[in-house]
Amino acid sequence: MHPKKATHQQTKRRNRDLVLKMIFERDPISRAEVARVTKLTRATVSDIVAGLIEEGLVKEAGYGESLGGKAPILLSLVADSRYVIGLNLAQDKFIGSVANLRGEIKETIELPVDDTVGEQALGLVYRILDELTSRGWRPLFGIGVGTPGLVNTREGIVVNAVNLCWQDLPLAELLRARYRLPVTVLNDSQAMAIGEFVYAGSHPSDGNLVVVNVKHGIGAGILINGRLFQGDGGGAGEIGHVVVHENGAPCRCGKRGCLETIASATAVVQRAVALAPEYAGSALGHDPRSISLESLESAWRADDPLARQVVSEAAQCLGASIANLVSVLSIHRIVLTGDMARFGDPWLQSVRESMVRASLARMAQDTQLEIGTLGFKACVLGASAFMLLENYDLLFTQAAE
Ligand SMILES: [Zn+2]
């Protein structure tokens, strides 16, 4: 191919992606406004929009406010023009959902994991995807996976997921070969961060956000200028295995005293079981082996002393770790999500107090800490949104000119 022509085609594609991104983010928006924000000419924008309408991705939807002359026609994304599958492999059950371009979930399938690992866990992934890809949601433009562990996103490899016994698993390649669809693979906390960023709240599209996911493990996802920040090794935000208590409890990673051994959902249950004999007054003390996250939550809400101790200690430890994130990143918005969020505002308050105590006063004062609103959906939606945000090209069914 002639090099000059290739450049011209690349520019055309880049402009088209830019216009589509603008309509996605600022829906509904007029052609003139798209031209103003993207700095493309009105003629170029009109041309591109004609192509997007032909592709079925964009439609004209009513009129905007007139600024003197004729009222401008508004453009809107056709939410159901494409579908994407999002997977969350980080729960005690695998969850797969089909969503449209607006992140509206159309169908969800869940399968219990029950300590399934290795090839068998991969088999569960296939079962969910076999099912979801056969349900007639078309056109299906890709699969986005959120998985626990360290992930090489560029190559789609799960480097190490301890709970699933996956090491150097080429997940994207396997799924691509089986389903003939584009696949992206992300760490689940990073996926949740994207989900919360794109589909919850009113984050400016070029804003910053940290999402701390506190479930059986602990991880964070970091967005800088609206883009996921993975760091040089892909593990940016892996705060769960930072040692906070020398010679503390053993951790599943092989070390002792990691943040996870105190602040995670698994840790609070284990600590409550261990400490129960010392708490004669606690309702949980009667049958320590039956303590679960649910019973701990009820006890916490009833101000049970044992529940208060383990959950408060977990919150304090988490708050101190978040103070590190605050001082390294100076990002003002931090969202907490995952199983521990069930302990609600008093838990959040305790995390905040500890973060403030461990931070430079002025930096903590400017930091907003809140609980996420999407729950498990954050991961499936984030995994699918990542595919969309990184690959607008994949939305096009006709070959680029
Ligand atoms: Zn660890």
Side-chain angles (χ1 to χ4, degrees):
M1 197 187 282
H2 196 273
K4 201 171 168 192
K5 190 148 183 264
T7 311
H8 176 63
Q9 275 197 358
Q10 280 168 2
T11 310
K12 272 185 89 165
R13 190 175 301 165
R14 208 169 40 233
N15 289 345
R16 188 192 64 186
D17 293 355
L18 192 63
V19 169
L20 183 57
K21 184 166 185 276
M22 203 50 57
I23 298 170
F24 180 77
E25 283 170 5
R26 305 199 183 191
D27 189 340
I29 183 171
S30 69
R31 288 174 178 81
E33 185 66 3
V34 172
R36 192 184 66 77
V37 182
T38 58
K39 299 192 170 63
L40 296 170
T41 67
R42 303 265 307 243
T44 303
V45 170
S46 287
D47 229 30
I48 293 172
V49 167
L52 295 175
I53 290 175
E54 197 187 327
E55 275 276 2
L57 285 162
V58 166
K59 64 181 177 197
E60 293 184 335
Y63 292 89
E65 215 171 300
S66 163
L67 299 169
K70 231 170 54 176
I73 298 171
L74 294 177
L75 303 167
S76 187
L77 193 73
V78 180
D80 282 296
S81 60
R82 304 287 187 275
Y83 298 101
V84 58
I85 294 177
L87 282 184
N88 178 356
L89 308 182
Q91 306 273 348
D92 47 2
K93 55 195 179 221
F94 284 173
I95 303 172
S97 296
V98 176
N100 69 10
L101 296 183
R102 276 273 158 252
E104 290 155 358
I105 290 182
K106 299 289 173 175
E107 182 168 8
T108 295
I109 294 178
E110 300 181 0
L111 284 180
V113 180
D114 293 333
D115 300 325
T116 311
V117 295
E119 282 288 324
Q120 276 158 351
L122 188 60
L124 291 182
V125 174
Y126 291 153
R127 264 177 64 196
I128 291 183
L129 289 174
D130 288 354
E131 194 66 29
L132 286 177
T133 50
S134 67
R135 295 286 177 90
W137 300 102
R138 296 289 184 276
L140 202 51
F141 79 87
I143 300 168
V145 185
T147 170
L150 195 58
V151 177
N152 175 341
T153 296
R154 198 174 331 153
E155 295 178 40
I157 296 171
V158 183
V159 178
N160 187 11
V162 180
N163 278 8
L164 296 169
C165 294
W166 284 350
Q167 286 209 349
D168 296 317
L169 179 75
L171 188 57
E173 195 184 308
L174 292 169
L175 299 183
R176 226 177 272 137
R178 189 176 170 106
Y179 300 103
R180 309 262 157 228
L181 285 170
V183 179
T184 53
V185 184
L186 264 188
N187 167 272
D188 68 302
S189 298
Q190 294 177 349
M192 290 189 104
I194 296 174
E196 291 285 345
F197 186 81
V198 175
Y199 295 115
S202 50
H203 310 287
S205 61
D206 55 353
N208 302 322
L209 178 74
V210 176
V211 171
V212 183
N213 182 18
V214 197
K215 43 181 180 85
H216 57 271
I218 298 175
I222 302 161
L223 281 112
I224 296 175
N225 298 329
R227 299 286 303 253
L228 180 67
F229 177 77
Q230 295 186 299
D232 290 335
E238 276 287 342
I239 58 173
H241 297 287
V242 175
V243 174
V244 294
H245 271 196
E246 291 286 343
N247 301 318
C251 180
R252 62 195 167 108
C253 73
K255 292 184 308 211
R256 283 179 164 274
C258 296
L259 176 64
E260 270 188 31
T261 64
I262 299 162
S264 69
T266 310
V268 290
V269 172
Q270 282 171 354
R271 283 169 59 75
V273 171
L275 292 176
E278 297 167 30
Y279 279 82
S282 168
L284 295 165
H286 303 310
D287 185 10
R289 274 174 308 178
S290 73
I291 295 175
S292 64
L293 205 55
E294 289 73 24
S295 65
L296 204 55
E297 183 191 348
S298 315
W300 163 258
R301 294 194 184 280
D303 205 22
D304 177 272
L306 172 56
R308 199 170 56 220
Q309 179 177 338
V310 293
V311 176
S312 300
E313 278 177 9
Q316 282 159 22
C317 202
L318 181 65
S321 290
I322 289 177
N324 285 316
L325 287 175
V326 170
S327 69
V328 171
L329 296 167
S330 188
I331 287 177
H332 284 171
R333 191 128 190 234
I334 299 182
V335 169
L336 302 185
T337 184
D339 292 330
M340 285 300 285
R342 64 168 63 221
F343 293 98
D345 276 337
W347 169 74
L348 181 69
Q349 198 53 41
S350 186
V351 175
R352 184 185 288 121
E353 282 164 13
S354 160
M355 175 196 79
V356 170
R357 270 200 305 278
S359 300
L360 203 57
R362 189 54 202 267
M363 289 184 82
Q365 182 188 324
D366 292 335
T367 305
Q368 276 182 55
L369 211 56
E370 59 201 84
I371 290 181
T373 52
L374 293 179
F376 87 89
K377 285 194 222 164
C379 185
V380 292
L381 290 179
S384 54
F386 179 72
M387 157 154 288
L388 172 67
L389 297 174
E390 298 291 306
N391 309 283
Y392 276 93
D393 256 23
L394 300 177
L395 291 171
F396 294 84
T397 52
Q398 295 168 20
E401 287 165 56

